Amino acid sequence: VSDTLQKLYLKAATIEPRKKTYFIGPYGKRVSFASQQQRALNTVWALHDAKEIKQGTRAAVIGAGLCGLTTVAALLAKKCLVYVYDVLPDVLEFQARASHRFVHPTINFWPEAAIRPTTQFPFFDWFESICSANNLRLREEWKSHFRDLTNRVYLESEVTAVVYDPDSGKVKVSATGGSAPPIAEYDIAIVATGFGAEETVTGVRPTPYWEPDFLSRKAQEIKDIVVSGTGDGGLVDALRAAHSHFEDGRLVIKLAQHLDDTGIKELIKKAEEDVPVRAGGSQEAAAPLFAEIYDQLASDMPPICERILTKSYYRAEPVTLIGPLSHPYTLNAAPIHKFMIAHAIISGQISYKQGRLVDGPWYDPKDGPREEMTSAYCIVRHGPALATPLSKLVSPAELDELKQTQVRIADLIDPAPYTSAFWALRGYPRQEVTSRDFIQWRFPLAATYSIEKYRRPIGVRFDNDECGYVMRSDGVGPAPAFVPNELFGIRLMLDEEIANDYAD
Ligand SMILES: Cc1cc2nc3c(=O)[nH]c(=O)nc-3n(C[C@H](O)[C@H](O)[C@H](O)COP(=O)(O)OP(=O)(O)OC[C@H]3O[C@@H](n4cnc5c(N)ncnc54)[C@H](O)[C@@H]3O)c2cc1C
């Protein structure tokens, strides 16, 4: 098994016949921060297993987003000599101002994956929270644990070429700007450059996904809102405009938690398994099949879920959602988003039109004449721009190959068969969820989460068979509805008073 996985992880990161150069993402079926981090760990594990890296290997990591930083930590744990490049002025800069986006470790993968509010990594763990707040905490971890690396972190340095030199057996990395050497040789290069900027439409003011857009305020004032694009970005923004209580994304989690106990969860899971097969992988064929199922499920949900959604709708005019398919349901969009869109359409809060928003801006319907859209407030979520960061480093054919390989196999997001001892890194205790060191080390993050989410403090308990955190009752308000039984993999218990509240 180990050998097969090692080959798969390396295949998912390779463009043949490029040697010693590996690409972690950006493609996959459902790509998220957490899935990219897991891919980083799995790829480094595979590189080590395949003896592509060892103590002293000179490694360049290109891109200092969360995937890049996780790769750096993993390579350092394997005692490589690591150099980091990023074109931006700081690490984790791309999403640093996203105070309007709530990020969650597993929600995009629900119901296939459980709703887990925390990640479980040896480094750079985080919890469901506002994106910019998470970024701050992750940057703190970077600053306190990776200070020694400062001279080898090249910021404001754009990598312009990554080329394997067969004579020296090294990879040559060319860069411009910042403190990076114009050209440097490495034993290996790992590229983690992300999706980059999004596609734009002439005549529509760009609203980059991770930059504050004040949409919840604007949606209260603007009658005619148009969201173009039916990937997760478009679905989320249509929902943000349609709901008064979207709360940056917390509404999505709340609904999924309520659905988690119902038969609807199993039906969604089945639909997500069956439809791709019935549609033979075709987006066009899948859209009406999803529509039939999601319409039915959204009309038939438990009253509490119906109330959660209905009381949050507030618009007199529906939000217009535009997409290329007959219905706004793609194979890769998160099931919970599709479910919420189906409900908003049934409720008259979102109106769906098949077609495209094109330069002008014009609405170009599938059938019929073009309509001018200059009076509407338009949001374009058409996915990454054609020129992604990677397209500057590899040829179009190579990019296409990488995309196909990664969409096919890169979603193996279970941890590779590594042990906690595998990631031994100075300053980090081993990720052993019953060990005192690890429980204490994770405590500040767990305590912050408990206060932020539940308004309840937690303590640490070390009894023979009860090691973990204990949520205390001295918080504000009634006992929270859903409390997980673990944080970062560490057991979370309830003190007697809270436990009695639940028993009541
Ligand atoms: C529209 C959209 C919405 C998304 N929503 C979510 C969501 O809600 N939840 C979620 O979990 N995930 C979401 N994702 C996915 C998430 O953004 C990525 O999985 C995550 O950013 C991956 O991190 P990364 O480090 O691979 O890439 P990034 O965060 O993009 O980091 C890449 C880094 O590489 C640097 N770089 C690029 N090119 C070069 C170069 N040539 N030289 C030097 N440096 C370079 C960039 O400056 C950047 O810092 C979304 C993605 C998109 C496009």
Side-chain angles (χ1 to χ4, degrees):
V1 171
S2 168
D3 195 42
T4 312
L5 281 175
Q6 180 236 91
K7 290 197 170 86
L8 264 178
Y9 293 136
L10 292 186
K11 170 117 186 84
T14 306
I15 301 175
E16 297 289 350
R18 277 179 182 260
K19 287 203 166 85
K20 309 274 179 196
T21 307
Y22 296 90
F23 301 84
I24 306 184
Y27 306 108
K29 282 202 192 79
R30 283 185 194 129
V31 178
S32 71
F33 289 103
S35 70
Q36 282 289 88
Q37 284 180 279
Q38 190 60 63
R39 279 160 74 170
L41 294 173
N42 290 353
T43 308
V44 174
W45 168 82
L47 288 169
H48 188 265
D49 203 55
K51 303 197 172 33
E52 283 286 293
I53 56 168
K54 57 181 193 302
Q55 181 163 358
T57 297
R58 270 173 64 91
V61 175
I62 299 144
L66 192 47
C67 174
L69 295 195
T70 308
T71 308
V72 170
L75 290 168
L76 288 172
K78 296 330 290 171
K79 304 201 169 12
C80 297
L81 193 61
V82 186
Y83 295 76
V84 191
Y85 294 77
D86 203 292
V87 64
L88 295 174
D90 203 350
V91 303
L92 300 173
E93 183 63 21
F94 201 58
Q95 300 91 3
R97 285 162 298 282
S99 55
H100 60 310
R101 304 274 183 202
F102 192 80
V103 288
H104 186 282
T106 61
I107 193 67
N108 283 4
F109 292 82
W110 180 88
E112 198 186 324
I115 305 170
R116 301 170 74 109
T118 58
T119 55
Q120 277 187 44
F121 297 127
F123 358 80
F124 298 115
D125 256 337
W126 51 278
F127 57 78
E128 56 164 334
S129 186
I130 288 296
C131 184
S132 54
N134 256 337
N135 253 39
L136 274 180
R137 286 185 282 265
L138 290 163
R139 267 185 182 170
E140 282 306 311
E141 181 170 338
W142 171 256
K143 278 187 208 150
S144 58
H145 286 263
F146 298 88
R147 213 175 284 133
D148 294 356
L149 214 65
T150 309
N151 297 337
R152 288 183 265 135
V153 180
Y154 304 129
L155 295 172
E156 297 183 78
S157 302
E158 181 178 6
V159 170
T160 51
V162 180
V163 180
Y164 176 71
D165 174 14
D167 295 335
S168 62
K170 306 277 180 198
V171 184
K172 290 188 170 163
V173 173
S174 310
T176 57
S179 51
I183 189 154
E185 282 190 349
Y186 299 97
D187 298 314
I188 192 168
I190 299 190
V191 183
T193 46
F195 286 109
E198 292 164 86
E199 203 184 298
T200 54
V201 165
T202 307
V204 177
R205 193 165 164 223
T207 47
Y209 193 79
W210 300 110
E211 294 298 324
D213 59 2
F214 309 99
L215 180 60
S216 34
R217 181 181 57 73
K218 285 181 183 152
Q220 291 172 28
E221 297 157 8
I222 301 173
K223 267 171 64 177
D224 196 1
I225 296 186
V226 173
V227 179
S228 181
T230 47
D232 279 313
L235 300 192
V236 165
D237 279 351
L239 291 168
R240 281 171 73 217
H243 281 281
S244 60
H245 291 82
F246 194 70
E247 294 183 41
D248 308 311
R250 293 177 188 85
L251 183 73
V252 180
I253 319 294
K254 189 172 167 183
L255 180 70
Q257 277 170 330
H258 279 282
L259 290 172
D260 209 38
D261 280 342
T262 70
I264 290 191
K265 172 188 170 178
E266 290 310 316
L267 293 171
I268 293 180
K269 204 168 160 188
K270 190 166 176 335
E272 292 288 334
E273 283 163 10
D274 289 353
V275 168
V277 179
R278 282 169 61 201
S282 146
Q283 295 282 12
E284 286 74 17
L289 298 175
F290 275 135
E292 196 183 323
I293 297 170
Y294 278 110
D295 283 357
Q296 178 67 44
L297 296 178
S299 324
D300 213 14
M301 71 175 105
I304 181 160
C305 301
E306 175 83 34
R307 265 200 311 280
I308 288 172
L309 293 178
T310 308
K311 83 170 192 221
S312 172
Y313 294 133
Y314 72 122
R315 289 181 62 80
E317 304 290 330
V319 172
T320 303
L321 178 63
I322 297 177
L325 301 172
S326 61
H327 300 82
Y329 308 115
T330 60
L331 288 168
N332 299 344
I336 189 67
H337 296 152
K338 288 187 265 202
F339 181 85
M340 290 177 76
I341 289 286
H343 190 267
I345 292 175
I346 292 168
S347 311
Q349 298 293 314
I350 289 180
S351 114
Y352 181 66
K353 288 181 170 181
Q354 186 180 10
R356 290 177 186 279
L357 192 73
V358 295
D359 291 346
W362 294 82
Y363 164 54
D364 188 11
K366 182 165 178 285
D367 304 306
R370 284 182 164 198
E371 282 170 40
E372 210 175 335
M373 300 296 276
T374 37
S375 62
Y377 179 76
C378 297
I379 299 166
V380 178
R381 294 280 168 254
H382 291 179
L386 275 180
T388 66
L390 264 186
S391 56
K392 294 186 191 162
L393 302 178
V394 303
S395 72
E398 287 180 314
L399 195 64
D400 198 46
E401 181 196 323
L402 185 72
K403 192 171 181 176
Q404 286 190 24
T405 314
Q406 294 197 336
V407 168
R408 203 157 26 90
I409 56 177
D411 279 355
L412 297 163
I413 52 159
D414 287 335
Y418 50 70
T419 61
S420 59
F422 186 77
W423 301 117
L425 185 60
R426 193 159 58 103
Y428 284 86
R430 281 187 192 173
Q431 190 203 0
E432 285 166 3
V433 295
T434 53
S435 91
R436 189 178 281 255
D437 278 357
F438 185 68
I439 292 172
Q440 264 166 348
W441 184 75
R442 265 281 151 263
F443 179 71
L445 205 58
T448 308
Y449 173 63
S450 185
I451 289 287
E452 187 176 308
K453 170 89 178 190
Y454 301 108
R455 305 277 178 270
R456 289 232 161 14
I458 58 169
V460 174
R461 181 181 289 169
F462 295 113
D463 284 346
N464 283 343
D465 52 353
E466 287 194 343
C467 290
Y469 303 129
V470 185
M471 186 180 278
R472 301 209 307 258
S473 50
D474 46 338
V476 182
F482 299 97
V483 177
N485 53 18
E486 49 91 1
L487 295 177
F488 309 104
I490 297 163
R491 185 168 168 198
L492 175 65
M493 295 161 270
L494 303 176
D495 79 358
E496 227 169 82
E497 213 171 303
I498 300 197
N500 287 341
D501 273 0
Y502 281 108
D504 291 347

